[in-house]
Amino acid sequence: DTAVSQTPKYLVTQMGNDKSIKCEQNLGHDTMYWYKQDSKKFLKIMFSYNNKELIINETVPNRFSPKSPDKAHLNLHINSLELGDSAVYFCASYRASDGYTFGSGTRLTVV
Amino acid sequence: AQSVTQPDIHITVSEGASLELRCNYSYGATPYLFWYVQSPGQGLQLLLKYFSGDTLVQGIKGFEAEFKRSQSSFNLRKPSVHWSDAAEYFCAVGLNAGGTSYGKLTFGQGTILTVHP
């Protein structure tokens, strides 16, 4: 039973399209995140939500819009996709006693 | 702002040899420290974490790490490397912002480990 699951695992799309990535955690954690891993494998936080409220927004273009319908879900919608958006996007959840748990990633390729 | 440095981009060891991966952090207080491993095409798996207490922490797969406050370091070690340990390793600093649970993780650049038979 996967703790943090992301869908889809792979996403190939054309420039200008709008796409969404979904994330669900069954750990009962209050806090969820989106991280971006670029082509050089550098991981950087994008957003953090705590109990459905946006806590951290790290200067991400407003084409990226996270949505948390409940504390177990954090989705990422991306408008007008650009070539530079190609990366692996990781969802994560957190509780102090468990630390951070990451999903397996969504590899987004914009062509 | 906090930062994490992994000085070694790529390390090559022979199977059975000992391993030490370096991690230095910059932060004004004692942070939460983590080591993650990422195999090619895979997600991030937590190896171990340090929150407080004993500065030598044991993790999964035979890994351990030692928190040294005076050196701002959290180096990862393994006494005998196996071929399956070949992967990329990330050190990370997490902050418990204001006592809440939503501090973000700041990652180092990663160290790629190659294991020769």
Side-chain angles (χ1 to χ4, degrees):
Chain A
D1 196 19
T2 305
V4 180
S5 58
Q6 296 178 227
T7 54
K9 192 171 172 65
Y10 299 96
L11 185 52
V12 181
T13 187
Q14 290 188 322
M15 281 175 56
N17 282 353
D18 303 337
K19 290 293 178 186
S20 291
I21 307 171
K22 296 188 175 181
C23 179
E24 177 181 4
Q25 55 99 0
N26 62 8
L27 298 167
H29 293 175
D30 289 338
T31 312
M32 296 184 72
Y33 306 83
W34 279 109
Y35 283 83
K36 180 180 179 181
Q37 187 175 45
D38 63 22
S39 57
K40 294 185 179 174
K41 297 293 190 71
F42 184 61
L43 277 150
K44 192 165 190 275
I45 190 168
M46 299 174 69
F47 300 104
S48 168
Y49 267 74
N50 188 58
N51 269 324
K52 303 192 298 175
E53 283 191 42
L54 179 66
I55 302 299
I56 295 173
N57 181 344
E58 288 280 311
T59 60
V60 177
N62 57 15
R63 297 182 295 104
F64 290 78
S65 51
K67 275 202 172 60
S68 182
D70 56 63
K71 72 175 192 179
H73 294 85
L74 181 60
N75 303 324
L76 184 65
H77 187 76
I78 315 170
N79 288 326
S80 303
L81 277 155
E82 300 177 358
L83 292 176
D85 298 332
S86 295
V88 181
Y89 292 85
F90 285 100
C91 177
S93 70
Y94 175 81
R95 179 164 58 199
S97 56
D98 301 330
Y100 300 79
T101 303
F102 283 81
S104 57
T106 296
R107 183 174 294 276
L108 171 65
T109 303
V110 182
V111 297
Chain B
Q2 71 276 12
S3 65
V4 181
T5 302
Q6 292 179 245
D8 305 305
I9 295 173
H10 195 168
I11 282 186
T12 300
V13 299
S14 298
E15 192 168 16
S18 63
L19 172 71
E20 183 169 36
L21 302 182
R22 296 183 290 166
C23 173
N24 293 96
Y25 68 90
S26 171
Y27 180 55
T30 301
Y32 296 165
L33 296 160
F34 305 82
W35 274 99
Y36 285 87
V37 60
Q38 185 179 29
S39 297
Q42 301 298 311
L44 293 157
Q45 182 181 23
L46 178 67
L47 286 175
L48 47 78
K49 60 183 186 283
Y50 172 78
F51 282 179
S52 64
D54 193 347
T55 56
L56 184 63
V57 293
Q58 303 296 322
I60 61 171
K61 303 184 180 188
F63 286 93
E64 66 177 27
E66 186 171 12
F67 169 57
K68 291 186 177 179
R69 185 191 305 272
S70 60
Q71 298 175 19
S72 297
S73 69
F74 189 57
N75 294 348
L76 181 72
R77 300 194 295 248
K78 186 169 184 177
S80 177
V81 170
H82 188 262
W83 63 266
S84 61
D85 293 325
E88 187 153 14
Y89 291 80
F90 292 92
C91 181
V93 168
L95 306 178
N96 195 12
T100 65
S101 63
Y102 47 75
K104 65 181 183 182
L105 270 180
T106 299
F107 285 88
Q109 306 93 314
T111 298
I112 298 171
L113 174 66
T114 299
V115 181
H116 280 323

